Amino acid sequence: MSANHSTKRRVAYFYNHDIGNYYYGPGHPMKPHRLKMTHNLLLTYGLYKKMDVFRPHWASREEMTKFHSQEYIDFLQKVSPETVRRDLNEATTKFNVGESTDCPVFDGLFDYCSAYTGATLDGARMLNHNLKDICINWAGGLHHAKKSEASGFCYVNDIVLGILELLKHHSRVLYIDIDIHHGDGVEEAFYVTDRVMTCSFHKHGDFFPGTGAQGDIGSADGKYYSVNVPLDEGMDDDSFAYVFKPVIQSIMTRFQPGAIVLQCGADSLTGDRLGCFNLTLKGHANCVQFVKSFGIPVLVLGGGGYTIKNVARLWTYETSVLVGEEIADTIPYNDFYEQYKMNNYKLHLTPTAQVNKNTKERLDMVLGRVLRNLNYLRGAPSVQVQEVPPDYPESDASILARERADDVSGAQAVREGIHTADTSKKHHEAEYYDGPNDQDGEGGGGSADVEMA
Ligand code: FE2
């Protein structure tokens, strides 16, 4: 991994200082605090010197409704922990939020969504204008959210919105998802289009969200443009690379995307509170390095990750890979230093003795089917670089069609976005440091009823 650190790219990093203070509730495994830990760790490693740090804008209701329904976003904007108790049944049934779901209503919920979504949109716009080669938003990547429904700790699908933004300037966008859970919300949004290829590597079989079977390949114009790589527990670094590299290589050759969105969910790491894979930081980051090596604009997002000290380790290391800078294995003193005691204050993790249920035969079978399906892409009209994007039938209620209709306001939004995130808003170095926050430890009880994300 380290041998490939040398390639330099123009990198932008987006961080909203409020993001770490949102709180899903006692015992809930999703902890935005991990973002503050990540930010603090990568700053103490000095990585801010290798990239431009931006304060993202807050995404508006109008920006969110480029994908989500007005009714759902209105609800998210109005709901509070008090009102949801009063209207619990309706909200739970209609939008899948509330105490009986894994998507609670907490203080500042809409602002939280606005914060992580704004950063994803700013990143997409910066890539569209060729201002950067790589944009990073570790707070984003909430891949389970649906058009009118929360799911798996996700409320607003910043990934779908980011891809829609990229489609304004790119004929084809590739979405890659290495979170341990299937990227169902993104796949569903683009299931019938050949302008977006989605590719998810995930645990499949008696595991949330239950979708992502290998036979789900897209439909209508999108047939063969959804790629699913179902895996079993115990995936290690070698097994992951064994399937990841040939699949992505084949997609890059045949699909030739103009931009890539990479969801880097950290719950595929060894020792994750909710996951069951056995990847080390290096195995996970190898995927990031491989994607980076194609030299195509990349929007890098976070996602799941529930052993929060390891989430901070991973995303810090992946930031170093993206900026092309080696960092020491000994963790420098930082605001959350004691959180790293367990692994002797070392950055890198060692895999456990967990059995890898993915035999070579099984991986060969999965890989063979994926590569055969990708062969059908040869000669597909939209693979031509100069091809005019195809039209989509109105009956799809296609988000793409709506996006075209909104082109004028979209262009305005692009200008505003860049302005908001322009270099004059770069943080002063002294602002980089947050004080220690409440240390929301892991492994607390009360989460058994939480399905996961
Ligand atoms: Fe996940």
Side-chain angles (χ1 to χ4, degrees):
M1 179 79 241
S2 57
N4 290 322
H5 273 208
S6 57
T7 326
K8 303 289 181 192
R9 299 270 198 278
R10 297 172 300 162
V11 180
Y13 166 87
F14 296 86
Y15 183 72
N16 180 319
H17 279 262
D18 291 344
I19 198 76
N21 297 326
Y22 297 104
Y23 184 57
Y24 278 64
H28 198 291
M30 179 58 117
K31 300 178 190 305
H33 177 64
R34 69 206 175 123
L35 300 161
K36 185 176 283 192
M37 290 176 65
T38 303
H39 182 68
N40 192 256
L41 186 57
L42 68 85
L43 293 181
T44 51
Y45 265 116
L47 292 173
Y48 65 92
K49 296 172 191 163
K50 306 294 177 183
M51 57 194 184
D52 284 331
V53 177
F54 295 102
R55 186 193 305 276
H57 84 293
W58 298 81
S60 67
R61 177 186 178 285
E62 287 67 34
E63 288 176 309
M64 295 177 188
T65 53
K66 292 286 190 285
F67 169 56
H68 293 286
S69 70
Q70 304 256 359
E71 187 189 19
Y72 175 52
I73 297 300
D74 283 348
F75 168 79
L76 289 181
Q77 206 161 12
K78 284 182 199 150
V79 74
S80 71
E82 291 72 38
T83 60
V84 79
R85 266 176 222 122
R86 213 168 50 220
D87 306 326
L88 189 59
N89 288 337
E90 190 194 359
T92 300
T93 309
K94 207 166 184 179
F95 303 118
N96 191 39
V97 298
E99 289 168 8
S100 61
T101 75
D102 58 10
C103 299
V105 172
F106 53 85
D107 280 332
L109 171 59
F110 183 81
D111 290 342
Y112 167 67
C113 297
S114 174
Y116 70 73
T117 301
T120 295
L121 289 173
D122 282 340
R125 288 164 185 163
M126 215 167 259
L127 295 177
N128 277 346
H129 291 264
N130 194 26
L131 296 171
K132 296 290 175 199
D133 304 308
I134 295 169
C135 290
I136 304 171
N137 172 26
W138 295 126
L142 280 76
H143 59 172
H144 297 306
K146 308 298 192 307
K147 180 179 176 181
S148 298
E149 193 180 307
S151 175
F153 317 162
C154 308
Y155 304 84
V156 168
N157 199 316
D158 62 298
I159 309 171
V160 171
L161 293 165
I163 291 173
L164 288 173
E165 199 65 34
L166 289 168
L167 287 171
K168 291 177 179 172
H169 288 248
H170 299 281
S171 300
R172 292 173 304 284
V173 174
L174 170 61
Y175 172 67
I176 304 170
D177 188 321
I178 56 172
D179 189 288
I180 196 170
H181 301 98
H182 177 230
D184 58 342
V186 186
E187 176 183 282
E188 184 178 304
F190 299 110
Y191 205 65
V192 296
T193 176
D194 55 4
R195 289 191 65 195
V196 178
M197 174 166 275
T198 62
C199 180
S200 177
F201 299 80
H202 49 268
K203 157 81 173 125
H204 187 255
D206 192 24
F207 201 70
F208 185 90
T211 48
Q214 192 158 23
D216 295 341
I217 56 171
S219 65
D221 286 347
K223 190 174 181 184
Y224 302 119
Y225 291 84
S226 293
V227 176
N228 282 298
V229 185
L231 303 165
D232 209 339
E233 59 190 60
M235 279 296 285
D236 59 22
D237 293 352
D238 288 344
S239 296
F240 210 90
Y242 186 74
V243 290
F244 185 84
K245 290 189 174 178
V247 168
I248 298 304
Q249 181 66 62
S250 177
I251 288 174
M252 293 302 292
T253 304
R254 294 165 201 286
F255 185 60
Q256 298 180 14
I260 301 172
V261 178
L262 176 59
Q263 197 268 20
C264 295
D267 45 14
S268 43
L269 274 187
T270 185
D272 186 77
R273 180 177 165 187
L274 298 185
C276 57
F277 282 178
N278 202 13
L279 297 182
T280 69
L281 269 58
K282 289 182 180 175
H284 199 281
N286 257 327
C287 301
V288 175
Q289 174 63 40
F290 191 65
V291 170
K292 177 191 172 192
S293 72
F294 291 94
I296 286 166
V298 191
L299 178 57
V300 181
L301 305 174
Y306 307 102
T307 299
I308 61 174
K309 55 183 179 282
N310 292 346
V311 177
R313 282 181 163 100
L314 177 70
W315 291 343
T316 295
Y317 181 61
E318 292 186 332
T319 303
S320 81
V321 168
L322 289 163
V323 300
E325 190 73 14
E326 301 247 9
I327 55 173
D329 191 27
T330 300
I331 289 177
Y333 185 77
N334 64 82
D335 289 349
F336 308 102
Y337 192 60
E338 285 311 307
Q339 298 264 324
Y340 304 103
K341 186 176 183 181
M342 183 85 91
N343 196 32
N344 201 24
Y345 306 103
K346 296 296 183 194
L347 183 70
H348 286 284
L349 304 173
T350 45
T352 67
Q354 181 186 3
V355 172
N356 184 354
K357 290 192 174 177
N358 303 273
T359 60
K360 183 165 184 306
E361 292 69 32
R362 183 192 148 92
L363 292 176
D364 280 337
M365 190 180 70
V366 170
L367 187 57
R369 283 185 67 186
V370 169
L371 295 179
R372 272 197 301 280
N373 281 341
L374 288 172
N375 269 328
Y376 290 113
L377 292 177
R378 194 180 296 145
S382 60
V383 173
Q384 300 301 314
V385 175
Q386 299 302 326
E387 176 80 2
V388 175
D391 290 325
Y392 294 90
E394 206 58 43
S395 58
D396 285 344
S398 165
I399 46 182
L400 294 176
R402 283 197 281 118
E403 197 239 337
R404 280 200 301 277
D406 287 331
D407 263 357
V408 176
S409 59
Q412 179 64 27
V414 168
R415 284 194 293 275
E416 289 170 0
I418 293 300
H419 177 72
T420 306
D422 86 10
T423 48
S424 65
K425 299 282 169 56
K426 275 167 66 175
H427 299 179
H428 186 278
E429 197 166 323
E431 283 186 71
Y432 289 161
Y433 297 90
D434 291 304
N437 195 31
D438 57 313
Q439 303 285 304
D440 195 358
E442 299 133 20
S447 64
D449 58 330
V450 176
E451 274 190 285
M452 111 51 301

